[in-house]
Amino acid sequence: AQAIPSYCMSSFLIPTTLGEEIERMMNSFYWNTKKNGGRGINWLRWDKMTVSKDNGGLNFRDLEGFNLAMLGKQGWKLITNSSSLLTRVLKAKYFPRSGFLDANIGHNPSYTWRSIQSTIPLLTLGYRWKIGDGSNINVWTDPWIRSRTNMRPSTAPNGNYVDLRVSHLFDSALNTWNYTLLNTVFNTQDVADICKIPLHARAPQDSVVWKASP
């Protein structure tokens, strides 16, 4: 019951009612121990059963969460693999002038696109930028300060630096941060946290990474 819908859930967002019905079937099968098929006793709540065994649960899948995780992997491919056929087709149709994380649902979307696009809030919680040349990272709106919970500066944007990119904060001659500019734009805590971030001697392109785990 958990394995059969896996392939479908990797491409489509199943209706909530269908997920709940499958979960009820699994719950009923697990607890229904009466020979005559009568209703058994649910000794443990479903939300407890979906907890991992290491944490005291029974490791049943929360199908809604599993569905979003499977679709999120498709969304992650759209972010990190720009050369794939799937990315090129969906980008041309739905987000030609932006990245996937900024994409709207669009006009008359397919169910596949609607399903993958629904994972943007989930992916937004788990990604951050890995600094390379800094040209693609907006200082104020993108998550890039590793030691912060929200990974963004606490300083309010200054009118003269609204479109500031991380690359503007580099001293390219010394391959260090531009400390004079940092102290001009940011508060003391922001400056300290930014200066902890190492810079590459040969800066590659900026890349998006998953911050929760390797």
Side-chain angles (χ1 to χ4, degrees):
Q2 294 184 101
I4 289 173
S6 294
Y7 181 79
C8 176
M9 289 194 292
S10 68
S11 301
F12 304 106
L13 185 66
I14 65 172
T16 302
T17 52
L18 175 59
E20 291 174 347
E21 183 177 351
I22 295 173
E23 288 178 350
R24 281 197 297 270
M25 291 168 61
M26 291 190 293
N27 192 35
S28 176
F29 176 81
Y30 194 80
W31 293 119
N32 189 5
T33 57
K34 293 186 177 181
K35 293 181 180 180
N36 60 6
R39 182 183 178 90
I41 299 174
N42 292 351
W43 293 101
L44 199 65
R45 295 201 315 271
W46 180 253
D47 59 348
K48 294 291 186 182
M49 294 173 70
T50 57
V51 175
S52 68
K53 291 181 179 179
D54 292 340
N55 294 318
L58 292 174
N59 214 34
F60 280 80
R61 284 176 181 162
D62 179 301
L63 291 184
E64 182 179 8
F66 181 71
N67 192 187
L68 286 174
M70 295 290 282
L71 288 170
K73 295 179 74 171
Q74 304 291 355
W76 190 250
K77 292 178 184 177
L78 299 184
I79 297 172
T80 58
N81 190 356
S82 60
S83 62
S84 73
L85 179 61
L86 175 67
T87 303
R88 286 185 284 136
V89 169
L90 292 181
K91 182 173 178 61
K93 182 171 177 61
Y94 295 111
F95 52 104
R97 299 178 182 83
S98 66
F100 171 67
L101 292 173
D102 298 316
N104 296 316
I105 192 66
H107 175 68
N108 194 25
S110 69
Y111 193 68
T112 299
W113 170 247
R114 186 184 296 275
S115 298
I116 297 175
Q117 199 268 351
S118 69
T119 67
I120 289 178
L122 173 66
L123 294 173
T124 300
L125 291 174
Y127 88 103
R128 71 169 176 86
W129 281 95
K130 181 179 180 181
I131 298 175
D133 59 16
S135 60
N136 294 313
I137 308 173
N138 185 292
V139 165
W140 309 110
T141 60
D142 291 328
W144 60 281
I145 304 178
R146 294 188 297 182
S147 58
R148 292 290 178 82
T149 303
N150 66 355
M151 299 198 168
R152 295 172 176 83
S154 59
T155 308
N158 186 303
N160 297 324
Y161 299 101
V162 173
D163 296 322
L164 196 64
R165 298 280 166 172
V166 170
S167 58
H168 298 151
L169 305 177
F170 297 165
D171 186 329
S172 55
L174 300 175
N175 192 38
T176 61
W177 295 101
N178 186 331
Y179 301 110
T180 302
L181 181 59
L182 290 179
N183 285 295
T184 301
V185 177
F186 301 102
N187 61 41
T188 304
Q189 187 58 56
D190 281 345
V191 172
D193 289 338
I194 292 171
C195 289
K196 293 177 184 176
I197 304 174
L199 299 179
H200 295 277
R202 296 180 179 178
Q205 288 187 335
D206 303 313
S207 58
V208 174
V209 297
W210 189 251
K211 68 183 181 184
S213 69

